[in-house]
Amino acid sequence: MINILFMEAESTTAYNIIQTDTSIIVEEVPNYSPTLATYSFYIQLKWSDGEIFPQGEIVLINIIYSNWNQQCPFSATNIVGITDSQGKVYVGLICARENVIDINIKLRDSPDFGAEANPPSEEQREEFSFLPPENNSTVICSVPLTPQILFSNIGTGTQHTYSFAIIADPHIGDFYDDYLGNGYYDNGYPFKPTTSYKRLCAIVNDINSKIDEYKIKFVVVVGDLVQSAERSEFRDCRNALSRLKVPVIPVFGNHDTWPYFKNQNGDYIQPGWSCGNVGDYFAEFFNGIYQQDSMWLPNWRSDNANLYFNTSFDYGRYHFMCSDFVSREPAPQFPGLPFNPGTHYRASLEQTSWFWFWNDYSNVQVSSAEIPKKVIVLNHHALRALFYPLWGDFCFTGNQINQFWYQVGQYGNKFLAWFAGHTHQNNYFGSDLCNQIIETASARNGFYRIVKVYDDYNVDFTYYLDPNSYGMTYIFNGSITPPAYIGYSRFTFSDGTPKAENELNISHTFSPGIWYAYFYLEGVNSYSPIRYYVSKKIYVPDIFVISPQREQLFEPGDKPLFSFSANHIIDGYYFNTIKLKYMIEGGNILDITTLNNTNGSRYWSPSYSNWSIPAGQFSNNCRFYVEFNNNSDYFGTLQLQIPFKIGIRAPSDLKAIAGYDVNGQFIVRLRWKDNSNCK
């Protein structure tokens, strides 16, 4: 028999439900006085990798109490909590114990307090349910780090030729008034694994794991990389993005302009209109990345000299424009402050950026008039007019949209796509100005986008380490699918070596480092010319075979000295094993030994000489195989081949015995090192 007592919401009437094996009896209990209970417990927040939330994280917890059948929740409350040094948030509730069967928690990190969905609030990401805990106990909530991927397609072709990824609004340092140091001009030590930083690192790791699956060629971060434009925020953001294995292009956002927080003297400093200091810290930490992009992305253009961050490049058959329409105007006044120390959140057609944008756009149209390139814009603000009663204009104004209309009308070639962030929402629009306008939800809440590009032709190249080299020569093979007439092709390498023209299959020797290779192809089909730009990042480790030498002659029984140097070029990574194998005269490949880097040394120079050349066989067709394996997937497995010979060196320990055998025939027997098997 089961006996359950429950109450109606906002009522003094209770019901006693008695369930037996054969029936259910409901008895009314009038004027029932419930037993109020105080629940006092802690919620400890941990990431799914086991690391607890750092102290000072602000979280919004929505708690719902359900009645016995979990159909009619009768009470809910929001708790704004701040994690303590153990990642815990205190929860205190007073409710009728009879009614509480389970507790449901919806957690959203870094809420937009007071916004009241204006602009719209972000999606809830985590939800937990559990039975009422004992007083003073701790409920552990493991918050997942796995990002949520949004997908988009562009292009009208039949082949998925490549992809690029979009990260929007990481907001590193979100809801920390002073992120990591004293004032905004800080270096911020020690490091804290904040929610925004953990989310961004998880996204970076996820993109790296999907580069081959989705053919991801580059990543664009469409603004608001940090929350308050403090130096320590920019430093941590750059450190996270530097882990990407493909080029990353940072786009300027309104939170990246000017520190929202006080300086070391405790003063708020307001930027002036077009103040020269706007963007100083952004430039300090990301101009180096722009310099790398200029070597790695085809036809790179930029105009960052005056702290306006406009860049463009070509990839495939498309032209990408990463524009800066962020206002330099001081932001509206907020309650409690004499002024808002940041810059305005609406878009602005600053003269410097406006001139650069249309100059770049017109150059693309004129230089490729016979086949106008499709233009893809990546900007912090979406190309739409957006007005909130509480905030005012939030993207572009209607008048600014009309100015875009006029300019595009001069060429008649509208934008193929416009990708943006800013609103923290996942939105899709279309207009006569642009085929697709797409906003991406914020990385702060664990979202990013993969854009898959489709085309009629797939132009690409492969590369691999030349196994017959000493460790730094790579073989490149260019191709176009389906086949087409190729009028011109060119390989270009970022190490400054001469271009290789009209050759689809070449070899190139690098020095150790991180380089980039471009492949440009012009072809013709039955309709129009084909022009493609493709590029890839090349990681060239410092590996070298010291011995044995190539084509070295060994006698049976010799013990070759295997000696190598292996130096990983990425901090924190190393070569963990070197596998040695051999093959004689086209036979099976057999193991010799495996050398282990037990100390995890980045620079490693092992040697080995305990293996003997097998007896009983001479051959000029032998090979050693050396496989370098690393503790990252930057290189995969690198294999080198060393040809060698088995024979007799001159002079040698060779003896001859001559005489007659039992049949009276004269013979000569050669004996070498007392090994009668070698004759």
Side-chain angles (χ1 to χ4, degrees):
M1 183 178 70
I2 300 176
N3 191 330
I4 299 176
L5 179 72
F6 78 98
M7 294 182 64
E8 292 180 337
E10 300 179 356
S11 173
T12 60
T13 301
Y15 297 91
N16 192 28
I17 299 178
I18 303 172
Q19 180 178 350
T20 67
D21 293 337
T22 58
S23 63
I24 297 178
I25 302 172
V26 180
E27 297 178 347
E28 182 176 333
V29 183
N31 300 318
Y32 178 78
S33 178
T35 303
L36 293 179
T38 300
Y39 288 108
S40 175
F41 60 96
Y42 294 89
I43 297 175
Q44 186 180 47
L45 299 172
K46 289 186 176 183
W47 295 109
S48 53
D49 62 4
E51 188 171 20
I52 65 172
F53 274 45
Q55 184 173 4
E57 285 285 306
I58 302 175
V59 294
L60 176 64
I61 301 173
N62 176 245
I63 300 182
I64 301 174
Y65 316 90
S66 299
N67 64 12
W68 68 276
N69 60 7
Q70 301 186 18
Q71 298 299 315
C72 303
F74 68 90
S75 182
T77 186
N78 287 328
I79 296 176
V80 177
I82 301 178
T83 55
D84 62 14
S85 60
Q86 296 179 315
K88 295 181 179 180
V89 176
Y90 172 78
V91 178
L93 306 172
I94 299 178
C95 53
R97 180 177 291 277
E98 288 85 350
N99 286 14
V100 179
I101 301 299
D102 71 338
I103 294 178
N104 178 265
I105 291 180
K106 289 185 177 181
L107 168 69
R108 195 181 85 215
D109 51 87
S110 303
D112 292 323
F113 296 114
E116 296 180 354
N118 186 14
S121 60
E122 299 179 72
E123 300 178 39
Q124 301 284 357
R125 287 300 313 278
E126 288 78 39
E127 187 169 348
F128 308 93
S129 294
F130 48 85
L131 295 175
E134 297 294 330
N135 277 330
N136 298 319
S137 62
T138 298
V139 176
I140 297 176
C141 295
S142 180
V143 181
L145 275 172
T146 304
Q148 184 168 331
I149 309 175
L150 309 168
F151 287 96
S152 298
N153 298 333
I154 60 174
T156 58
T158 58
Q159 296 194 69
H160 172 212
T161 56
Y162 66 93
S163 299
F164 59 93
I166 293 177
I167 300 174
D169 302 275
H171 284 277
I172 298 299
D174 197 8
F175 287 90
Y176 282 82
D177 284 341
D178 191 2
Y179 179 51
L180 294 180
N182 180 23
Y184 59 72
Y185 189 80
D186 59 2
N187 285 317
Y189 293 98
F191 168 75
K192 290 172 66 175
T194 60
T195 295
S196 52
Y197 182 81
K198 293 283 287 188
R199 295 276 197 209
L200 181 58
C201 288
I203 289 173
V204 166
N205 293 337
D206 201 61
I207 291 174
N208 283 340
S209 70
K210 292 176 170 56
I211 287 175
D212 293 334
E213 179 182 359
Y214 291 105
K215 306 177 186 177
I216 299 174
K217 303 303 182 184
F218 55 87
V219 178
V220 183
V221 188
V222 288
D224 282 1
L225 285 79
V226 300
Q227 173 65 18
S228 304
E230 298 182 52
R231 292 184 77 251
S232 53
E233 293 175 339
F234 283 118
R235 182 208 63 185
D236 284 356
C237 185
R238 183 192 61 185
N239 289 348
L241 294 176
S242 65
R243 301 179 186 181
L244 283 164
K245 299 177 184 178
V246 293
V248 56
I249 304 97
V251 173
F252 205 45
N254 61 288
H255 277 259
D256 305 322
T257 58
W258 185 260
Y260 284 30
F261 193 64
K262 303 173 184 178
N263 62 13
Q264 278 74 352
N265 299 323
D267 299 323
Y268 287 101
I269 305 297
Q270 185 181 29
W273 181 273
S274 299
C275 174
N277 290 327
V278 169
D280 268 345
Y281 296 160
F282 185 91
E284 176 185 347
F285 286 93
F286 293 112
N287 272 352
I289 289 182
Y290 285 141
Q291 291 174 2
Q292 293 176 348
D293 291 338
S294 69
M295 296 186 294
W296 297 342
L297 293 171
N299 293 340
W300 175 267
R301 292 186 66 224
S302 66
D303 179 30
N304 301 335
N306 298 315
L307 297 178
Y308 285 85
F309 302 94
N310 297 288
T311 60
S312 68
F313 59 94
D314 294 327
Y315 207 95
R317 285 207 283 182
Y318 299 104
H319 184 67
F320 293 84
M321 299 176 65
C322 302
S323 54
D324 172 6
F325 289 125
V326 173
S327 175
R328 270 59 175 175
E329 178 185 359
Q333 181 176 341
F334 275 15
L337 290 176
F339 51 80
N340 188 331
T343 56
H344 212 293
Y345 39 77
R346 70 186 176 202
S348 175
L349 305 185
E350 302 280 344
Q351 182 176 0
T352 300
S353 288
W354 185 250
F355 176 81
W356 187 93
F357 185 89
W358 292 110
N359 177 264
D360 187 76
Y361 177 87
S362 61
N363 285 339
V364 171
Q365 306 309 311
V366 172
S367 64
S368 55
E370 72 280 9
I371 44 167
K373 285 186 179 178
K374 297 296 184 181
V375 173
I376 298 171
V377 180
L378 300 113
N379 185 68
H380 184 54
H381 301 85
L383 186 61
R384 63 170 177 141
L386 180 61
F387 182 86
Y388 292 124
L390 180 63
W391 296 68
D393 290 309
F394 202 70
C395 285
F396 291 93
T397 66
N399 180 58
Q400 291 170 337
I401 297 295
N402 290 336
Q403 294 184 59
F404 277 97
W405 269 105
Y406 175 79
Q407 292 294 125
V408 170
Q410 303 299 305
Y411 300 96
N413 186 20
K414 65 181 181 179
F415 307 118
L416 176 66
W418 185 297
F419 293 95
H422 191 47
T423 63
H424 298 190
Q425 295 294 296
N426 179 33
N427 291 320
Y428 297 82
F429 309 94
S431 74
D432 292 336
L433 267 176
C434 187
N435 289 348
Q436 298 183 74
I437 301 172
I438 301 175
E439 294 174 336
T440 298
S442 73
R444 181 187 69 181
N445 257 23
F447 293 89
Y448 77 95
R449 184 179 302 278
I450 292 178
V451 183
K452 300 167 71 174
V453 180
Y454 286 83
D455 211 330
D456 293 326
Y457 288 90
N458 184 20
V459 174
D460 205 352
F461 67 90
T462 60
Y463 69 94
Y464 59 92
L465 180 65
D466 182 355
N468 297 314
S469 71
Y470 279 93
M472 288 172 282
T473 299
Y474 286 75
I475 295 175
F476 293 83
N477 298 310
S479 64
I480 179 170
T481 308
Y485 170 76
I486 300 175
Y488 176 77
S489 66
R490 179 179 71 242
F491 273 105
T492 307
F493 301 101
S494 61
D495 60 359
T497 54
K499 301 174 182 177
E501 298 184 343
N502 294 322
E503 295 183 37
L504 294 181
N505 305 296
I506 67 168
S507 63
H508 184 75
T509 301
F510 296 91
S511 59
I514 303 175
W515 305 103
Y516 228 80
Y518 311 96
F519 180 56
Y520 173 67
L521 182 145
E522 290 183 7
V524 178
N525 62 13
S526 58
Y527 302 103
S528 62
I530 304 166
R531 295 179 179 176
Y532 281 87
Y533 292 91
V534 183
S535 59
K536 292 182 180 180
K537 207 171 190 177
I538 313 293
Y539 293 89
V540 181
D542 185 4
I543 59 174
F544 191 76
V545 178
I546 300 173
S547 66
Q549 299 298 310
R550 303 175 67 84
E551 303 292 345
Q552 188 170 344
L553 176 66
F554 295 98
E555 294 183 347
D558 282 352
K559 292 186 175 182
L561 173 63
F562 296 94
S563 180
F564 314 99
S565 65
N567 187 17
H568 206 293
I569 60 173
I570 308 295
D571 284 332
Y573 296 107
Y574 56 90
F575 287 94
N576 51 1
T577 64
I578 298 177
K579 295 183 179 181
L580 304 179
K581 303 178 182 182
Y582 75 99
M583 180 270 293
I584 298 176
E585 198 62 44
N588 294 329
I589 298 176
L590 304 175
D591 292 333
I592 297 176
T593 191
T594 297
L595 307 177
N596 296 296
N597 186 359
T598 56
N599 294 326
S601 304
R602 182 177 170 190
Y603 179 79
W604 184 34
S605 55
S607 61
Y608 177 79
S609 60
N610 293 332
W611 176 79
S612 299
I613 298 290
Q617 188 172 4
F618 293 153
S619 174
N620 287 330
N621 182 22
C622 306
R623 286 184 180 273
F624 292 123
Y625 295 88
V626 186
E627 292 183 358
F628 294 83
N629 299 285
N630 62 100
N631 71 324
S632 70
D633 54 357
Y634 280 98
F635 314 121
T637 298
L638 302 178
Q639 185 186 84
L640 296 178
Q641 299 179 19
I642 307 170
F644 70 98
K645 302 174 182 178
I646 302 176
I648 300 175
R649 290 187 295 269
S652 177
D653 185 11
L654 186 66
K655 298 178 181 179
I657 301 176
Y660 292 93
D661 62 10
V662 294
N663 297 319
Q665 186 175 2
F666 185 80
I667 63 171
V668 177
R669 181 181 294 275
L670 299 178
R671 295 178 63 87
W672 175 76
K673 286 189 176 181
D674 296 325
N675 187 342
S676 59
N677 291 324
C678 298
K679 304 176 183 178

